């Protein structure tokens, strides 16, 4: 009989019972408090007797209203706290905790058990039942150091003695297994997790974060962190855990809309969208490059992603000496109503012509245009046409615009309402002024570049040079698969989010398109905008078996002194198939697809490009499902997709068709494309050539 198992199961049962009790109590509290709060507010409001006759009476009335507002704020805070605690309880009820550490916090004192879960919760005496995995003390678990170890809290390092590091496999209130880890490289929970098959959604790795991953997740805040990790090293998972950690560390001041995440495509976006909610956090603003441009209203022109970055630098160099022409300026209008004519905008710009076109000039002209617009709106409010238009509003429109019905006993009252009305009608012009819509940026850009048109990237970059800012409120920007971005794209993002801190994750060996930025170029772009770039490596593969890891590692162009490893147990050797005849080649693929459809897990046939996907899709027919860019991954079956769409994803079995020299010649680009395709596989990889196998794999076939 395992007494330790029995003791841990009993502890789990007790904790689970307390969580259920907390859940029920909080639910009841929310249900009754709404009724109670509503009645309290009604009673308090009825006690207020508005009296504005004398100074004392007015002060008493205002004080009573202020007290009521204060009570409302307090109720809101209590409600938000209760809802947040209930959210944490519901997360923990799925798995109360996943680990326990026994720590001797001070010499001579008895050791204490600390249970670690996806969220933290305390009992009625505010003693921790479960600590959040992001809390400082939980770092002792992720350090993977038995004996003396340490963690940081409030900027100070605390040294403790780790006597026990125990991992749990728990579902709700059932303990399925526990593991006592006594050496750093032993992580039984991780190894069990890695044996599982592909899932249609990326899973949180909270319980199995490894030491090199933890160094990134908990890294101090720096302007730019660049992570160069091999395929399958958990870059995306680390990125998401880092976001969750930042939300925890800055829970008082960081909002989800202040964090931006750039992903390679919408399939990948669907793949990761449940990780943060499973940790009790909201997803950040998530975009592809095209989606980002669409949000800014730039989707109808060429993206400029592949444009020459020298054109952006030319804009930077030439703008300070550019002389604005009258035709570079336009009216300020709302709809068909011109509020400031072009000559008025020209006059405002000429007032500050001693300054070069740039942020200071733009700010001064904007201030001047705001002042002129305010005078224009005041003038409009006095016109008979506007006042008649305002007075003809129906009751519903009056309530929507003014919050009350219009009563115009005097001329002054009529004008006051009319002023509110024109602000409602035309106030958006102030936003247009701030957005520099009074400038013809396209015309300026074409003159500066001596070109017949400018791309979305060039237009946006020019606007950033003129305004001096992009997203003012952005705090953190995460770019996954950064090696797929061009210098042009990165220059735009670095300037648009100039006030934000960046986390860039990628793999130099997965740059599958010509013309994308090298890591040296990435460093240079961000050094110019953010000063420093800190680099961290990830050199362990958690996705692929040792055999698959060795295969894609053999294709790396520059390994240097890097020691690449896989933590998985030995698996199946890669299979290489050469078929000279086209029909035999297709028959082989059909047979592989049919066989894979009967196997557990998800198999992906990863073709080199979209055109090849189209041809293979017609040849293989119903044997495969052709993935589209806006679809979610299935849990099992056989899918066909191109390499670009497969980026960042993982599959139980990967079949690589067309592995002949014509498709994968002995070039650096083909080497990287083959590395990327092979490294999508977790357990099994099959490589099929129509003819002789690519020379990139000749030695591996002989081994």
């Amino acid at each position: 009989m395992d007494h330790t198992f029995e003791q841990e199961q009993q502890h789990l049962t007790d904790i689970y019972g307390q969580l259920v009790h907390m859940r029920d109590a909080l639910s009841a509290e929310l249900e009754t408090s709404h009724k109670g709060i509503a009645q309290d507010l009604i009673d308090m409001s009825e006690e207020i007797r508005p009296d504005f006759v004398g100074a004392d009476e007015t002060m008493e009335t205002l004080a009573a209203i202020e007290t009521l507002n204060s009570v409302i704020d307090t109720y809101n805070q209590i409600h938000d706290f209760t809802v947040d605690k209930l959210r944490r309880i519901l997360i923990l009820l799925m798995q109360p905790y996943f680990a326990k550490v026994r720590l001797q916090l001070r010499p001579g004192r008895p050791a204490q058990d600390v249970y670690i879960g996806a969220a933290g919760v305390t009992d009625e005496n505010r003693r921790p039942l479960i600590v959040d995995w992001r809390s400082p003390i939980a770092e002792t678990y992720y350090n993977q150091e038995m004996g003396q170890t340490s963690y940081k809290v409030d900027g100070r390092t605390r040294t403790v003695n780790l006597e026990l590091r125990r991992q749990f496999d728990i579902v709700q209130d059932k303990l399925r297994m526990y593991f006592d880890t006594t050496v750093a490289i032993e992580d039984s929970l991780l190894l069990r997790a890695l044996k599982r098959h592909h899932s249609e959604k990326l899973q949180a790795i909270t319980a199995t974060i490894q030491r090199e991953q933890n160094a990134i997740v908990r890294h101090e805040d720096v302007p730019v962190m660049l992570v160069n990790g091999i395929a399958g090293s958990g870059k995306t998972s680390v990125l998401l855990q880092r976001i969750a950690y930042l939300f925890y560390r800055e829970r008082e001041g960081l909002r989800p809309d202040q964090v931006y995440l750039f992903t390679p495509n919408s399939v990948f976006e669907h793949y990761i969208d449940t990780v943060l909610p499973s940790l009790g956090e909201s997803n950040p603003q998530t975009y592809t490059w095209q989606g980002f441009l669409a949000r800014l209203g730039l989707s109808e022109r060429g993206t400029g992603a592949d444009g020459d970055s020298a054109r952006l630098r030319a804009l930077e160099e030439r703008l300070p000496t550019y002389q604005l022409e009258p035709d570079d300026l336009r009216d300020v209008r709302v709809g068909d109503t011109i509020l400031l004519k072009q000559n008025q905008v020209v006059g405002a710009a000429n007032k500050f012509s001693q300054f070069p076109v740039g942020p200071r000039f733009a700010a001064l002209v904007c201030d001047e245009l705001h002042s002129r617009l305010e005078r224009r709106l005041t003038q409009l409010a006095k016109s008979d046409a506007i006042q008649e238009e305002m007075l003809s509003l129906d009751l519903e429109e009056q309530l929507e615009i003014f919050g009350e019905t219009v009563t115009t006993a005097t001329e002054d009252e009529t004008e006051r309402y009319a002023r509110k009305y024109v602000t409602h009608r035309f106030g958006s012009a102030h936003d247009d002024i701030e957005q520099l819509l009074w400038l013809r940026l396209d015309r300026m850009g074409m003159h500066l570049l001596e070109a017949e048109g400018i791309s979305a990237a060039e237009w946006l970059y020019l606007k950033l040079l003129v305004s001096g800012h992009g997203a003012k409120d952005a705090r953190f920007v995460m770019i996954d698969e950064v090696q797929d971005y061009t210098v042009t794209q990165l220059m735009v993002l670095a300037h648009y989010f100039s006030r934000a801190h960046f986390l860039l994750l990628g793999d130099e060996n997965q740059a599958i398109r010509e013309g994308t930025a090298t890591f040296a170029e990435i460093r240079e772009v961000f050094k110019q905008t953010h000063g420093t770039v800190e680099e961290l490596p990830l050199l362990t593969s958690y996705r692929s078996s040792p055999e698959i890891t060795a295969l894609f590692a053999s294709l790396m162009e520059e390994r240097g002194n890097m020691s690449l490893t896989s933590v998985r147990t030995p698996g199946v050797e890669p299979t290489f198939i050469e078929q000279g005849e086209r029909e035999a080649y297709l028959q082989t693929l059909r047979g592989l697809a049919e066989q894979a459809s009967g196997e557990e897990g998800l198999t992906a046939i990863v073709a080199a490009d979209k055109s090849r996907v189209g041809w293979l899709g017609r040849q293989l027919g119903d044997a495969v499902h052709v993935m589209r860019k806006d679809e979610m991954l299935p849990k099992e079956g056989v899918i066909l997709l191109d390499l670009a769409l497969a980026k960042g994803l993982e599959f139980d079995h990967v079949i690589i068709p067309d592995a002949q020299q014509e498709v994968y010649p002995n070039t650096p680009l083909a080497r990287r494309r083959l590395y990327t395709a092979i490294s999508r596989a977790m357990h099994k990889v099959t490589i099929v050539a129509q003819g002789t196998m690519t020379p990139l794999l000749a030695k591996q076939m002989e081994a």
Side-chain angles (χ1 to χ4, degrees):
M1 183 176 292
D2 188 339
H3 293 293
T4 300
F5 187 96
E6 288 186 343
Q7 290 171 357
E8 291 293 3
Q9 177 60 68
Q10 186 58 54
H11 180 81
L12 174 60
T13 301
D14 294 343
I15 292 294
Y16 196 84
Q18 292 183 62
L19 291 174
V20 169
H21 176 74
M22 289 179 189
R23 178 200 63 192
D24 295 343
L26 290 168
S27 299
E29 180 183 333
L30 285 172
E31 187 175 344
T32 58
S33 66
H34 279 302
K35 299 174 184 176
I37 288 171
Q39 190 57 52
D40 287 348
L41 295 178
I42 291 170
D43 293 343
M44 287 186 68
S45 62
E46 288 178 349
E47 290 175 5
I48 297 175
R49 297 289 180 265
D51 188 348
F52 299 98
V53 176
D56 291 343
E57 290 80 2
T58 298
M59 290 298 292
E60 287 182 14
T61 300
L62 293 175
I65 293 173
E66 180 62 29
T67 300
L68 178 60
N69 288 335
S70 177
V71 171
I72 292 172
D73 289 341
T74 301
Y75 278 142
N76 284 337
Q77 290 171 7
I78 293 171
H79 174 269
D80 291 345
F81 174 80
T82 305
V83 169
D84 181 67
K85 187 170 183 179
L86 179 58
R87 174 185 58 79
R88 285 183 280 124
I89 297 297
L90 293 175
I91 290 171
L92 292 174
L93 283 171
M94 292 184 282
Q95 183 191 47
Y97 45 83
F98 54 80
K100 163 178 140 178
V101 289
R102 182 168 295 155
L103 299 172
Q104 187 181 40
L105 301 175
R106 294 179 183 175
R109 295 284 188 90
Q112 296 181 21
D113 287 343
V114 178
Y115 287 84
I116 303 168
V121 67
T122 58
D123 63 16
E124 63 275 9
N125 298 315
R126 303 192 62 80
R127 290 177 300 194
L129 294 176
I130 303 163
V131 303
D132 193 295
W133 68 274
R134 296 163 290 188
S135 67
I137 200 169
E139 191 172 358
T140 58
Y141 168 73
Y142 295 110
N143 285 343
Q144 294 183 319
E145 295 174 332
M146 298 303 296
Q148 190 174 88
T149 187
S150 63
Y151 63 95
K152 289 184 178 179
V153 57
D154 297 330
R156 298 172 60 187
T157 300
R158 292 199 61 181
T159 301
V160 296
N161 192 59
L162 177 61
E163 297 183 358
L164 176 73
R165 182 178 184 269
R166 180 167 290 166
Q167 301 170 311
F168 301 105
D169 183 359
I170 289 172
V171 176
Q172 297 178 334
D173 61 344
K174 296 291 187 293
L175 174 61
R176 301 202 295 193
M177 198 169 293
Y178 74 90
F179 315 94
D180 283 351
T181 302
T182 56
V183 294
I185 61 171
E186 182 186 331
D187 195 320
S188 304
L189 202 60
L190 171 66
L191 296 176
R192 279 176 60 86
L194 294 178
K195 289 179 181 178
R196 297 171 187 157
H197 287 278
H198 152 87
S199 60
E200 65 272 30
K201 294 284 188 179
L202 183 66
Q203 306 296 307
I205 61 166
T206 311
T208 59
I209 295 172
Q210 299 302 290
R211 190 170 184 175
E212 65 173 357
Q213 297 172 326
N214 187 54
I216 296 166
V217 172
R218 294 176 184 265
H219 199 283
E220 63 180 339
D221 195 9
V222 293
V224 180
M225 195 182 339
L226 175 60
V227 177
N228 192 359
I230 68 166
S233 56
K235 294 183 293 296
T236 301
S237 295
V238 167
L239 179 153
L240 295 168
Q241 302 287 156
R242 171 71 173 174
I243 293 175
Y245 177 74
L246 290 171
F247 280 140
Y248 175 84
R249 192 186 67 186
E250 304 194 28
R251 52 193 176 278
E252 299 299 326
L254 182 62
R255 305 188 310 270
D257 64 348
Q258 294 175 310
V259 181
Y260 290 73
L261 170 59
F262 284 84
T263 66
N265 52 60
S266 53
V267 171
F268 186 78
E269 189 176 329
H270 289 312
Y271 181 54
I272 66 173
D273 61 11
T274 59
V275 173
L276 286 167
S278 74
L279 297 173
E281 304 292 355
S282 300
N283 279 319
Q285 299 200 57
T286 306
Y287 296 104
T288 61
W289 170 255
Q290 289 80 3
F292 170 66
L293 293 179
R295 172 181 173 268
L296 298 176
L298 299 173
S299 57
E300 293 184 2
R301 62 174 80 205
T303 69
D306 298 321
D308 189 350
S309 59
R311 287 168 65 94
L312 300 190
R313 295 189 181 94
L315 291 173
E316 216 167 330
E317 292 166 3
R318 298 170 186 174
L319 182 63
T321 58
Y322 183 73
Q323 297 296 313
L324 279 175
E325 299 175 358
D327 285 345
D328 289 328
L329 304 164
R330 58 158 62 99
D331 303 330
V332 175
R333 61 168 69 209
V334 172
D336 295 330
T337 304
I338 296 175
L339 298 168
L340 296 176
K341 295 180 179 177
Q342 182 191 22
N343 64 343
Q344 293 174 288
V345 178
V346 171
N350 287 341
K351 190 173 178 180
F352 306 103
S353 58
Q354 71 270 32
F355 299 105
V357 178
R360 187 178 183 189
F361 169 81
L364 290 169
V365 176
C366 282
D367 287 345
E368 179 66 20
L369 292 175
H370 285 310
S371 298
R372 294 188 182 203
L373 177 60
E374 281 299 300
R375 292 196 293 271
R376 172 68 170 140
L377 295 180
T378 299
Q379 183 185 28
L380 275 175
K382 296 178 180 179
S383 71
D384 291 340
I386 285 291
Q387 291 184 7
E388 287 177 16
E389 189 177 305
M390 181 267 296
L391 291 170
S392 66
L393 294 171
D394 61 34
L395 186 61
E396 190 174 318
E397 291 171 324
Q398 291 176 30
L399 289 171
E400 180 186 346
I401 296 170
F402 308 111
E404 59 184 351
T405 55
V406 175
T407 53
T408 56
T410 66
E411 229 177 87
D412 286 345
E413 284 182 342
T414 301
E415 195 170 306
R416 180 168 59 85
Y417 279 112
R419 187 64 177 81
K420 286 185 178 180
Y421 179 62
V422 296
T423 299
H424 172 77
R425 276 277 311 272
F426 306 116
S428 62
H430 281 296
D431 294 330
D432 293 345
I433 289 171
E434 284 299 308
Q435 291 299 317
L436 306 186
L437 295 188
W438 46 275
L439 274 174
R440 297 183 188 274
L441 290 172
D442 272 293
R443 188 177 191 276
M444 291 173 59
M446 287 187 286
H447 279 189
L448 286 163
L449 296 175
E450 300 175 352
E452 295 182 358
I454 61 174
S455 68
E458 291 159 356
W459 186 94
L460 182 54
Y461 199 73
L462 177 57
K463 183 181 177 184
L464 293 170
L465 293 174
V466 175
S467 67
H469 59 76
K472 295 179 181 179
D473 292 338
R475 296 276 308 283
F476 297 98
V477 178
M478 318 294 187
I479 303 179
D480 203 4
E481 304 287 351
V482 69
Q483 78 283 339
D484 287 341
Y485 287 73
T486 62
V487 171
T488 292
Q489 290 174 296
L490 295 175
M491 285 177 68
V492 170
L493 293 176
H495 280 78
Y496 188 82
F497 298 104
S498 60
R499 301 181 185 184
H501 284 187
F502 279 78
L503 175 59
L504 314 170
L505 299 100
D507 179 358
E508 289 180 289
N509 296 284
Q510 291 190 64
I512 63 171
R513 293 191 300 116
E514 290 281 16
T516 54
T518 65
F519 268 51
E521 289 172 325
I522 293 169
R523 285 191 292 270
E524 189 57 34
V525 167
F526 285 93
K527 279 181 181 177
Q528 290 182 11
T529 56
H530 288 69
T532 59
V533 176
E534 185 158 344
E535 290 190 63
L536 292 169
L538 287 173
L539 302 177
T540 303
S541 174
Y542 303 98
R543 173 191 300 144
S544 304
S545 68
E547 295 82 1
I548 296 170
T549 300
L551 180 59
F552 70 69
S554 70
L555 294 168
M556 292 176 66
E557 293 171 306
E558 294 182 16
R559 292 184 60 173
N561 295 321
M562 289 192 298
S563 177
L564 309 182
T565 59
S566 168
V567 300
R568 286 183 177 269
T569 54
V572 181
E573 289 289 344
T575 302
F576 301 91
I577 302 173
E578 294 177 328
Q579 290 288 4
E581 297 297 325
R582 173 177 154 178
E583 190 50 47
Y585 165 76
L586 289 174
Q587 197 59 40
T588 296
L589 287 178
R590 292 189 189 104
L592 289 169
E594 183 179 350
Q595 180 183 345
S597 65
E599 297 173 350
E600 190 176 356
L602 181 63
T603 294
I605 301 175
V606 181
D609 52 47
K610 290 181 181 178
S611 64
R612 203 59 185 167
V613 166
W615 186 82
L616 285 171
R618 292 190 294 274
Q619 305 307 312
L620 299 178
D622 294 338
V624 299
H625 170 73
V626 180
M627 285 293 295
R628 307 300 177 192
K629 66 179 182 179
D630 56 348
E631 284 186 293
M632 284 176 45
L633 285 176
K635 188 173 182 179
E636 54 190 10
V638 182
I639 62 173
L640 171 64
L641 73 171
D642 67 277
L643 182 57
L645 201 57
K647 287 296 295 290
L649 304 176
E650 60 184 30
F651 311 98
D652 293 292
H653 180 190
V654 167
I655 299 170
I656 300 173
D658 302 322
Q660 57 272 17
Q661 178 170 342
E662 292 77 11
V663 178
Y664 293 101
N666 191 2
T667 65
L669 179 61
R671 185 181 293 273
R672 295 194 299 269
R673 292 173 66 80
L674 197 53
Y675 167 101
T676 304
I678 293 170
S679 63
R680 301 306 93 206
M682 299 166 63
H683 307 294
K684 186 177 178 183
V685 65
T686 305
I687 302 172
V688 186
Q690 187 175 354
T692 304
M693 188 70 65
T694 168
L696 294 171
L697 295 175
K699 290 182 180 179
Q700 293 85 334
M701 285 183 66
E702 295 170 1

